[in-house]
Short mmCIF file of all heavy atoms in Angstrom, two decimals:
data_model
loop_
_atom_site.label_atom_id
_atom_site.label_comp_id
_atom_site.label_asym_id
_atom_site.label_seq_id
_atom_site.Cartn_x
_atom_site.Cartn_y
_atom_site.Cartn_z
N MET A 151 183.68 79.10 65.94
CA MET A 151 184.77 80.12 65.93
C MET A 151 186.07 79.40 65.49
O MET A 151 186.40 78.34 66.02
CB MET A 151 184.90 80.68 67.33
CG MET A 151 186.08 81.55 67.54
SD MET A 151 186.34 82.22 69.17
CE MET A 151 184.81 82.09 70.00
N ASN A 152 186.77 79.99 64.53
CA ASN A 152 188.01 79.36 64.16
C ASN A 152 189.17 79.85 65.04
O ASN A 152 189.01 80.69 65.90
CB ASN A 152 188.29 79.68 62.66
CG ASN A 152 188.46 81.17 62.38
OD1 ASN A 152 189.11 81.92 63.12
ND2 ASN A 152 187.91 81.64 61.25
N GLU A 153 190.35 79.30 64.84
CA GLU A 153 191.48 79.60 65.68
C GLU A 153 191.92 81.03 65.58
O GLU A 153 192.29 81.68 66.57
CB GLU A 153 192.66 78.70 65.38
CG GLU A 153 192.46 77.31 65.83
CD GLU A 153 192.31 77.18 67.35
OE1 GLU A 153 193.20 77.48 68.12
OE2 GLU A 153 191.18 76.82 67.78
N ARG A 154 191.84 81.63 64.40
CA ARG A 154 192.18 83.02 64.20
C ARG A 154 191.27 83.91 65.02
O ARG A 154 191.76 84.82 65.72
CB ARG A 154 192.04 83.33 62.71
CG ARG A 154 192.57 84.68 62.31
CD ARG A 154 192.59 84.87 60.79
NE ARG A 154 191.18 84.79 60.30
CZ ARG A 154 190.79 83.99 59.32
NH1 ARG A 154 191.62 83.21 58.70
NH2 ARG A 154 189.48 84.00 58.94
N GLU A 155 189.98 83.62 65.07
CA GLU A 155 189.05 84.44 65.87
C GLU A 155 189.27 84.18 67.33
O GLU A 155 189.21 85.16 68.13
CB GLU A 155 187.63 84.02 65.49
CG GLU A 155 187.21 84.45 64.13
CD GLU A 155 185.91 83.82 63.66
OE1 GLU A 155 185.59 82.69 64.08
OE2 GLU A 155 185.18 84.48 62.84
N ARG A 156 189.56 82.95 67.75
CA ARG A 156 189.78 82.62 69.15
C ARG A 156 191.02 83.40 69.71
O ARG A 156 190.99 83.99 70.73
CB ARG A 156 189.95 81.15 69.32
CG ARG A 156 190.06 80.68 70.79
CD ARG A 156 190.40 79.24 70.93
NE ARG A 156 191.71 78.90 70.35
CZ ARG A 156 192.87 79.15 70.95
NH1 ARG A 156 192.93 79.73 72.12
NH2 ARG A 156 193.96 78.76 70.35
N ILE A 157 192.06 83.35 68.87
CA ILE A 157 193.33 84.05 69.31
C ILE A 157 193.05 85.56 69.38
O ILE A 157 193.50 86.22 70.35
CB ILE A 157 194.47 83.72 68.38
CG1 ILE A 157 194.84 82.23 68.61
CG2 ILE A 157 195.65 84.63 68.56
CD1 ILE A 157 195.80 81.71 67.55
N GLY A 158 192.36 86.12 68.38
CA GLY A 158 192.05 87.54 68.40
C GLY A 158 191.23 87.93 69.61
O GLY A 158 191.53 88.98 70.28
N ARG A 159 190.25 87.12 69.97
CA ARG A 159 189.45 87.41 71.16
C ARG A 159 190.27 87.39 72.43
O ARG A 159 190.11 88.20 73.33
CB ARG A 159 188.28 86.43 71.30
CG ARG A 159 187.15 86.77 70.38
CD ARG A 159 185.97 85.91 70.69
NE ARG A 159 184.94 86.14 69.69
CZ ARG A 159 183.77 85.48 69.62
NH1 ARG A 159 183.54 84.53 70.55
NH2 ARG A 159 182.94 85.79 68.69
N ARG A 160 191.19 86.43 72.49
CA ARG A 160 192.08 86.33 73.65
C ARG A 160 193.01 87.50 73.81
O ARG A 160 193.17 87.99 74.92
CB ARG A 160 192.84 85.01 73.62
CG ARG A 160 193.70 84.77 74.84
CD ARG A 160 192.84 84.51 76.03
NE ARG A 160 193.64 84.29 77.20
CZ ARG A 160 193.48 84.88 78.42
NH1 ARG A 160 192.45 85.65 78.62
NH2 ARG A 160 194.32 84.61 79.35
N ILE A 161 193.48 87.98 72.69
CA ILE A 161 194.33 89.19 72.71
C ILE A 161 193.51 90.39 73.19
O ILE A 161 193.99 91.13 74.07
CB ILE A 161 194.96 89.44 71.38
CG1 ILE A 161 196.02 88.39 71.01
CG2 ILE A 161 195.57 90.84 71.26
CD1 ILE A 161 196.48 88.36 69.59
N ALA A 162 192.30 90.47 72.75
CA ALA A 162 191.42 91.57 73.16
C ALA A 162 191.10 91.48 74.67
O ALA A 162 191.11 92.49 75.36
CB ALA A 162 190.13 91.59 72.32
N GLU A 163 190.87 90.26 75.17
CA GLU A 163 190.62 90.06 76.56
C GLU A 163 191.80 90.46 77.41
O GLU A 163 191.65 91.17 78.45
CB GLU A 163 190.30 88.58 76.87
CG GLU A 163 188.97 88.11 76.36
CD GLU A 163 188.83 86.57 76.51
OE1 GLU A 163 189.72 85.88 77.03
OE2 GLU A 163 187.77 86.08 76.05
N LEU A 164 193.00 90.04 77.03
CA LEU A 164 194.20 90.35 77.79
C LEU A 164 194.43 91.84 77.79
O LEU A 164 194.81 92.43 78.83
CB LEU A 164 195.43 89.62 77.20
CG LEU A 164 195.45 88.12 77.43
CD1 LEU A 164 196.47 87.48 76.52
CD2 LEU A 164 195.67 87.78 78.89
N ARG A 165 194.23 92.51 76.65
CA ARG A 165 194.40 93.94 76.50
C ARG A 165 193.41 94.65 77.47
O ARG A 165 193.77 95.54 78.21
CB ARG A 165 194.19 94.40 75.10
CG ARG A 165 194.38 95.86 74.88
CD ARG A 165 194.09 96.25 73.41
NE ARG A 165 192.86 95.84 72.88
CZ ARG A 165 191.70 96.41 73.17
NH1 ARG A 165 191.58 97.38 74.02
NH2 ARG A 165 190.53 95.97 72.64
N ALA A 166 192.19 94.23 77.47
CA ALA A 166 191.15 94.85 78.33
C ALA A 166 191.51 94.64 79.80
O ALA A 166 191.33 95.58 80.64
CB ALA A 166 189.76 94.24 78.03
N GLN A 167 192.03 93.46 80.18
CA GLN A 167 192.40 93.19 81.52
C GLN A 167 193.52 94.12 82.00
O GLN A 167 193.60 94.55 83.16
CB GLN A 167 192.87 91.78 81.72
CG GLN A 167 191.76 90.75 81.71
CD GLN A 167 192.26 89.31 81.68
OE1 GLN A 167 193.45 89.05 81.76
NE2 GLN A 167 191.33 88.39 81.54
N MET A 168 194.39 94.53 81.07
CA MET A 168 195.43 95.44 81.38
C MET A 168 194.94 96.88 81.39
O MET A 168 195.65 97.83 81.90
CB MET A 168 196.59 95.37 80.34
CG MET A 168 197.42 94.10 80.52
SD MET A 168 198.78 94.09 79.27
CE MET A 168 199.81 95.44 79.91
N GLY A 169 193.73 97.10 80.88
CA GLY A 169 193.16 98.43 80.83
C GLY A 169 193.81 99.36 79.80
O GLY A 169 193.92 100.54 80.05
N ILE A 170 194.26 98.80 78.72
CA ILE A 170 194.87 99.63 77.67
C ILE A 170 194.09 99.55 76.41
O ILE A 170 193.37 98.60 76.11
CB ILE A 170 196.38 99.18 77.42
CG1 ILE A 170 196.47 97.74 76.94
CG2 ILE A 170 197.22 99.46 78.66
CD1 ILE A 170 197.87 97.36 76.52
N SER A 171 194.25 100.56 75.60
CA SER A 171 193.54 100.70 74.34
C SER A 171 194.35 99.88 73.24
O SER A 171 195.50 99.51 73.43
CB SER A 171 193.42 102.15 73.94
OG SER A 171 194.70 102.69 73.66
N GLN A 172 193.68 99.73 72.08
CA GLN A 172 194.39 99.15 70.97
C GLN A 172 195.58 100.04 70.55
O GLN A 172 196.64 99.52 70.17
CB GLN A 172 193.47 98.98 69.75
CG GLN A 172 192.47 97.83 69.98
CD GLN A 172 191.46 97.70 68.80
OE1 GLN A 172 191.30 98.66 68.02
NE2 GLN A 172 190.88 96.53 68.69
N ALA A 173 195.39 101.37 70.62
CA ALA A 173 196.50 102.25 70.28
C ALA A 173 197.66 102.09 71.21
O ALA A 173 198.82 102.12 70.80
CB ALA A 173 195.96 103.70 70.30
N LYS A 174 197.41 101.93 72.53
CA LYS A 174 198.50 101.71 73.49
C LYS A 174 199.19 100.38 73.25
O LYS A 174 200.42 100.31 73.35
CB LYS A 174 197.93 101.81 74.93
CG LYS A 174 199.00 101.71 75.98
CD LYS A 174 199.97 102.86 75.91
CE LYS A 174 201.00 102.79 77.02
NZ LYS A 174 201.96 103.86 76.91
N LEU A 175 198.41 99.33 72.92
CA LEU A 175 199.03 98.06 72.63
C LEU A 175 199.92 98.17 71.39
O LEU A 175 200.96 97.61 71.30
CB LEU A 175 197.95 96.98 72.42
CG LEU A 175 198.46 95.56 72.11
CD1 LEU A 175 199.44 95.04 73.17
CD2 LEU A 175 197.32 94.60 71.96
N ALA A 176 199.44 98.93 70.42
CA ALA A 176 200.23 99.16 69.16
C ALA A 176 201.54 99.81 69.52
O ALA A 176 202.59 99.41 69.07
CB ALA A 176 199.46 100.04 68.20
N GLU A 177 201.48 100.81 70.38
CA GLU A 177 202.71 101.51 70.82
C GLU A 177 203.65 100.59 71.59
O GLU A 177 204.85 100.59 71.30
CB GLU A 177 202.27 102.71 71.75
CG GLU A 177 203.43 103.50 72.29
CD GLU A 177 202.91 104.60 73.28
OE1 GLU A 177 201.83 105.14 73.05
OE2 GLU A 177 203.66 104.79 74.26
N LEU A 178 203.10 99.81 72.47
CA LEU A 178 203.97 98.93 73.29
C LEU A 178 204.56 97.77 72.50
O LEU A 178 205.64 97.35 72.81
CB LEU A 178 203.10 98.29 74.46
CG LEU A 178 202.63 99.26 75.53
CD1 LEU A 178 201.68 98.53 76.46
CD2 LEU A 178 203.82 99.81 76.32
N SER A 179 203.84 97.34 71.47
CA SER A 179 204.30 96.16 70.75
C SER A 179 205.02 96.48 69.44
O SER A 179 205.73 95.62 68.86
CB SER A 179 203.09 95.26 70.40
OG SER A 179 202.20 95.91 69.49
N GLY A 180 204.80 97.71 68.93
CA GLY A 180 205.43 98.03 67.66
C GLY A 180 204.61 97.48 66.43
O GLY A 180 205.07 97.46 65.32
N VAL A 181 203.40 97.02 66.73
CA VAL A 181 202.48 96.52 65.73
C VAL A 181 201.45 97.64 65.40
O VAL A 181 200.96 98.29 66.37
CB VAL A 181 201.79 95.25 66.16
CG1 VAL A 181 200.75 94.78 65.16
CG2 VAL A 181 202.78 94.13 66.49
N GLY A 182 201.18 97.88 64.16
CA GLY A 182 200.29 98.97 63.81
C GLY A 182 198.90 98.84 64.38
O GLY A 182 198.34 97.80 64.56
N TYR A 183 198.30 99.98 64.75
CA TYR A 183 196.97 100.04 65.37
C TYR A 183 195.96 99.32 64.55
O TYR A 183 195.13 98.51 65.10
CB TYR A 183 196.58 101.48 65.62
CG TYR A 183 195.12 101.67 65.90
CD1 TYR A 183 194.60 101.37 67.16
CD2 TYR A 183 194.22 102.09 64.96
CE1 TYR A 183 193.23 101.49 67.43
CE2 TYR A 183 192.91 102.24 65.18
CZ TYR A 183 192.40 101.92 66.46
OH TYR A 183 191.09 102.08 66.71
N SER A 184 195.87 99.58 63.25
CA SER A 184 194.85 98.99 62.41
C SER A 184 195.08 97.48 62.28
O SER A 184 194.16 96.70 62.17
CB SER A 184 194.77 99.62 61.04
OG SER A 184 196.01 99.50 60.36
N HIS A 185 196.32 97.09 62.37
CA HIS A 185 196.72 95.66 62.29
C HIS A 185 196.12 94.97 63.54
O HIS A 185 195.56 93.88 63.48
CB HIS A 185 198.16 95.54 62.23
CG HIS A 185 198.77 94.21 61.84
ND1 HIS A 185 198.42 93.60 60.64
CD2 HIS A 185 199.57 93.37 62.50
CE1 HIS A 185 199.10 92.45 60.61
NE2 HIS A 185 199.79 92.26 61.71
N ILE A 186 196.26 95.57 64.71
CA ILE A 186 195.74 95.00 65.95
C ILE A 186 194.22 94.89 65.88
O ILE A 186 193.67 93.85 66.30
CB ILE A 186 196.22 95.87 67.20
CG1 ILE A 186 197.73 95.65 67.34
CG2 ILE A 186 195.44 95.48 68.41
CD1 ILE A 186 198.32 96.46 68.41
N ALA A 187 193.56 95.90 65.36
CA ALA A 187 192.11 95.84 65.26
C ALA A 187 191.68 94.67 64.40
O ALA A 187 190.74 93.90 64.79
CB ALA A 187 191.55 97.12 64.68
N ARG A 188 192.36 94.39 63.28
CA ARG A 188 192.02 93.28 62.42
C ARG A 188 192.34 92.00 63.12
O ARG A 188 191.57 90.99 62.95
CB ARG A 188 192.74 93.42 61.08
CG ARG A 188 192.22 94.52 60.19
CD ARG A 188 192.84 94.44 58.79
NE ARG A 188 194.25 94.50 58.80
CZ ARG A 188 194.99 95.66 58.65
NH1 ARG A 188 194.38 96.79 58.50
NH2 ARG A 188 196.30 95.57 58.63
N ILE A 189 193.44 91.85 63.81
CA ILE A 189 193.82 90.69 64.56
C ILE A 189 192.73 90.31 65.57
O ILE A 189 192.27 89.16 65.65
CB ILE A 189 195.18 90.81 65.16
CG1 ILE A 189 196.29 90.87 64.15
CG2 ILE A 189 195.44 89.64 66.16
CD1 ILE A 189 197.63 91.33 64.70
N GLU A 190 192.34 91.28 66.38
CA GLU A 190 191.34 91.10 67.41
C GLU A 190 189.98 90.63 66.88
O GLU A 190 189.29 89.91 67.51
CB GLU A 190 191.20 92.32 68.29
CG GLU A 190 192.37 92.57 69.22
CD GLU A 190 192.16 93.70 70.20
OE1 GLU A 190 191.12 94.33 70.17
OE2 GLU A 190 193.06 93.93 71.03
N LYS A 191 189.67 91.09 65.66
CA LYS A 191 188.41 90.70 65.07
C LYS A 191 188.49 89.40 64.29
O LYS A 191 187.49 88.87 63.83
CB LYS A 191 187.89 91.77 64.11
CG LYS A 191 187.48 93.03 64.90
CD LYS A 191 186.97 94.12 63.92
CE LYS A 191 186.56 95.33 64.71
NZ LYS A 191 186.02 96.37 63.86
N GLY A 192 189.68 88.84 64.26
CA GLY A 192 189.88 87.59 63.52
C GLY A 192 189.91 87.67 62.05
O GLY A 192 189.74 86.70 61.33
N TYR A 193 190.16 88.88 61.56
CA TYR A 193 190.21 89.11 60.09
C TYR A 193 191.52 88.79 59.46
O TYR A 193 191.65 88.78 58.25
CB TYR A 193 189.82 90.61 59.78
CG TYR A 193 188.42 91.02 60.13
CD1 TYR A 193 188.15 92.37 60.27
CD2 TYR A 193 187.42 90.13 60.37
CE1 TYR A 193 186.88 92.79 60.60
CE2 TYR A 193 186.15 90.58 60.74
CZ TYR A 193 185.89 91.89 60.80
OH TYR A 193 184.62 92.34 61.15
N TYR A 194 192.53 88.70 60.34
CA TYR A 194 193.92 88.62 59.81
C TYR A 194 194.60 87.44 60.47
O TYR A 194 194.55 87.27 61.64
CB TYR A 194 194.62 89.91 60.12
CG TYR A 194 196.00 90.04 59.54
CD1 TYR A 194 196.14 90.30 58.17
CD2 TYR A 194 197.10 89.82 60.30
CE1 TYR A 194 197.40 90.42 57.61
CE2 TYR A 194 198.39 89.95 59.76
CZ TYR A 194 198.52 90.21 58.41
OH TYR A 194 199.76 90.27 57.90
N SER A 195 195.26 86.65 59.69
CA SER A 195 196.07 85.56 60.20
C SER A 195 197.46 86.12 60.59
O SER A 195 198.15 86.79 59.86
CB SER A 195 196.24 84.53 59.08
OG SER A 195 196.98 83.43 59.58
N VAL A 196 197.85 85.80 61.83
CA VAL A 196 199.00 86.42 62.47
C VAL A 196 200.18 85.44 62.46
O VAL A 196 199.99 84.29 62.83
CB VAL A 196 198.68 86.84 63.88
CG1 VAL A 196 199.87 87.13 64.73
CG2 VAL A 196 197.75 88.07 63.84
N GLY A 197 201.37 85.91 62.15
CA GLY A 197 202.56 85.10 62.24
C GLY A 197 203.08 85.07 63.64
O GLY A 197 202.75 85.88 64.46
N VAL A 198 204.01 84.13 63.87
CA VAL A 198 204.53 83.96 65.24
C VAL A 198 205.35 85.22 65.65
O VAL A 198 205.33 85.51 66.84
CB VAL A 198 205.38 82.66 65.29
CG1 VAL A 198 206.65 82.74 64.50
CG2 VAL A 198 205.60 82.29 66.77
N ASP A 199 206.00 85.88 64.79
CA ASP A 199 206.76 87.02 65.15
C ASP A 199 205.85 88.16 65.70
O ASP A 199 206.18 88.80 66.70
CB ASP A 199 207.57 87.61 63.98
CG ASP A 199 208.69 86.63 63.55
OD1 ASP A 199 209.12 85.80 64.38
OD2 ASP A 199 209.10 86.67 62.36
N VAL A 200 204.74 88.41 65.08
CA VAL A 200 203.81 89.38 65.52
C VAL A 200 203.16 88.92 66.86
O VAL A 200 203.04 89.73 67.78
CB VAL A 200 202.74 89.73 64.47
CG1 VAL A 200 201.62 90.59 65.07
CG2 VAL A 200 203.37 90.39 63.24
N LEU A 201 202.80 87.67 66.92
CA LEU A 201 202.21 87.12 68.16
C LEU A 201 203.23 87.30 69.35
O LEU A 201 202.81 87.64 70.45
CB LEU A 201 201.85 85.66 68.01
CG LEU A 201 200.59 85.36 67.32
CD1 LEU A 201 200.42 83.84 67.17
CD2 LEU A 201 199.42 85.94 68.06
N ALA A 202 204.49 87.08 69.07
CA ALA A 202 205.53 87.21 70.13
C ALA A 202 205.59 88.67 70.61
O ALA A 202 205.68 88.94 71.77
CB ALA A 202 206.87 86.75 69.60
N LYS A 203 205.53 89.63 69.67
CA LYS A 203 205.55 91.03 70.00
C LYS A 203 204.31 91.44 70.93
O LYS A 203 204.44 92.12 71.89
CB LYS A 203 205.55 91.94 68.80
CG LYS A 203 206.84 91.92 68.00
CD LYS A 203 206.73 92.80 66.77
CE LYS A 203 207.99 92.77 65.99
NZ LYS A 203 207.93 93.67 64.81
N LEU A 204 203.15 90.89 70.51
CA LEU A 204 201.94 91.19 71.27
C LEU A 204 202.02 90.47 72.62
O LEU A 204 201.64 91.11 73.61
CB LEU A 204 200.70 90.69 70.51
CG LEU A 204 200.43 91.46 69.19
CD1 LEU A 204 199.27 90.76 68.44
CD2 LEU A 204 200.04 92.89 69.50
N ALA A 205 202.47 89.28 72.67
CA ALA A 205 202.59 88.55 73.98
C ALA A 205 203.55 89.33 74.88
O ALA A 205 203.23 89.48 76.08
CB ALA A 205 203.12 87.13 73.73
N ASP A 206 204.64 89.80 74.37
CA ASP A 206 205.60 90.55 75.19
C ASP A 206 204.95 91.81 75.77
O ASP A 206 205.05 92.08 76.92
CB ASP A 206 206.86 90.88 74.40
CG ASP A 206 207.94 91.50 75.24
OD1 ASP A 206 208.24 90.91 76.27
OD2 ASP A 206 208.42 92.56 74.83
N ALA A 207 204.23 92.52 74.90
CA ALA A 207 203.57 93.78 75.34
C ALA A 207 202.47 93.49 76.38
O ALA A 207 202.21 94.29 77.25
CB ALA A 207 203.02 94.50 74.11
N LEU A 208 201.83 92.30 76.26
CA LEU A 208 200.75 91.94 77.17
C LEU A 208 201.29 91.18 78.40
O LEU A 208 200.52 90.71 79.25
CB LEU A 208 199.73 91.09 76.44
CG LEU A 208 198.94 91.78 75.36
CD1 LEU A 208 198.21 90.78 74.43
CD2 LEU A 208 197.98 92.78 75.97
N ASN A 209 202.62 91.00 78.44
CA ASN A 209 203.26 90.33 79.58
C ASN A 209 202.81 88.88 79.75
O ASN A 209 202.51 88.40 80.89
CB ASN A 209 203.12 91.12 80.86
CG ASN A 209 204.15 90.71 81.91
OD1 ASN A 209 205.28 90.38 81.59
ND2 ASN A 209 203.74 90.77 83.14
N VAL A 210 202.71 88.15 78.61
CA VAL A 210 202.35 86.76 78.65
C VAL A 210 203.30 86.04 77.74
O VAL A 210 204.03 86.65 76.95
CB VAL A 210 200.88 86.44 78.19
CG1 VAL A 210 199.86 87.09 79.12
CG2 VAL A 210 200.65 86.98 76.78
N LYS A 211 203.36 84.71 77.80
CA LYS A 211 204.19 83.95 76.90
C LYS A 211 203.35 83.13 75.94
O LYS A 211 202.26 82.73 76.29
CB LYS A 211 205.21 83.11 77.68
CG LYS A 211 204.61 81.93 78.42
CD LYS A 211 205.69 81.12 79.06
CE LYS A 211 205.04 79.85 79.68
NZ LYS A 211 206.05 78.92 80.09
N LEU A 212 203.88 82.87 74.83
CA LEU A 212 203.23 81.98 73.88
C LEU A 212 203.52 80.53 74.27
O LEU A 212 204.63 80.19 74.72
CB LEU A 212 203.85 82.16 72.42
CG LEU A 212 203.68 83.51 71.80
CD1 LEU A 212 204.34 83.58 70.44
CD2 LEU A 212 202.20 83.89 71.73
N ASP A 213 202.47 79.76 74.25
CA ASP A 213 202.58 78.41 74.75
C ASP A 213 201.52 77.51 74.11
O ASP A 213 200.49 78.00 73.66
CB ASP A 213 202.41 78.35 76.29
CG ASP A 213 202.98 77.15 76.90
OD1 ASP A 213 203.49 76.24 76.22
OD2 ASP A 213 202.93 77.02 78.18
N PHE A 214 201.76 76.23 74.10
CA PHE A 214 200.75 75.26 73.63
C PHE A 214 200.18 74.63 74.92
O PHE A 214 200.96 74.13 75.69
CB PHE A 214 201.38 74.18 72.73
CG PHE A 214 201.75 74.71 71.41
CD1 PHE A 214 203.00 75.18 71.11
CD2 PHE A 214 200.80 74.67 70.36
CE1 PHE A 214 203.34 75.66 69.86
CE2 PHE A 214 201.11 75.13 69.10
CZ PHE A 214 202.38 75.63 68.82
N ASN A 215 198.86 74.64 75.01
CA ASN A 215 198.20 74.03 76.14
C ASN A 215 197.27 72.91 75.70
O ASN A 215 196.75 72.96 74.57
CB ASN A 215 197.38 75.14 76.88
CG ASN A 215 198.27 76.16 77.52
OD1 ASN A 215 199.16 75.85 78.27
ND2 ASN A 215 198.01 77.42 77.24
N PRO A 216 197.01 71.98 76.56
CA PRO A 216 196.11 70.90 76.18
C PRO A 216 194.70 71.48 75.95
O PRO A 216 194.30 72.44 76.56
CB PRO A 216 196.08 69.97 77.41
CG PRO A 216 197.11 70.45 78.36
CD PRO A 216 197.55 71.82 77.89
N LYS A 217 193.99 70.85 75.00
CA LYS A 217 192.56 71.23 74.76
C LYS A 217 191.75 70.86 75.97
O LYS A 217 191.99 69.86 76.58
CB LYS A 217 192.06 70.54 73.53
CG LYS A 217 192.64 71.06 72.22
CD LYS A 217 192.01 70.36 71.06
CE LYS A 217 192.59 70.87 69.78
NZ LYS A 217 191.94 70.29 68.62
N LYS A 218 190.72 71.64 76.19
CA LYS A 218 189.84 71.35 77.32
C LYS A 218 188.60 70.79 76.82
O LYS A 218 188.14 70.96 75.77
CB LYS A 218 189.56 72.66 78.11
CG LYS A 218 190.80 73.15 78.78
CD LYS A 218 190.46 74.38 79.59
CE LYS A 218 191.73 74.86 80.26
NZ LYS A 218 191.53 76.01 81.06
#
């Protein structure tokens, strides 16, 4: 799995934990619904500005963590 796919899966996990749909995340973040679907599937490389919007909507912060 590449980083794009890993980040997409994590966004999908966080969204599911909040119990919201992709459409609701789109509404909360201002990012288009179809864009979110492509991000979650790892089809689209996301810039930091879009990631920041998604992080804010998911109530998390962007951070660099040590590899496990």
Side-chain angles (χ1 to χ4, degrees):
M151 171 182 341
N152 64 41
E153 287 300 293
R154 189 176 60 234
E155 291 168 330
R156 186 187 63 78
I157 289 169
R159 282 188 186 177
R160 184 65 180 134
I161 290 168
E163 288 171 5
L164 290 167
R165 180 181 56 74
Q167 287 173 5
M168 287 183 67
I170 61 173
S171 66
Q172 289 178 339
K174 183 65 177 177
L175 180 56
E177 178 185 323
L178 293 172
S179 65
V181 176
Y183 164 77
S184 61
H185 195 59
I186 288 174
R188 287 190 304 267
I189 291 167
E190 287 187 358
K191 290 181 180 183
Y193 296 161
Y194 186 78
S195 184
V196 164
V198 70
D199 294 335
V200 171
L201 281 176
K203 288 178 182 181
L204 293 172
D206 187 51
L208 293 166
N209 199 34
V210 296
K211 69 177 186 170
L212 297 179
D213 200 358
F214 287 93
N215 293 307
K217 290 184 178 182
K218 294 182 181 182

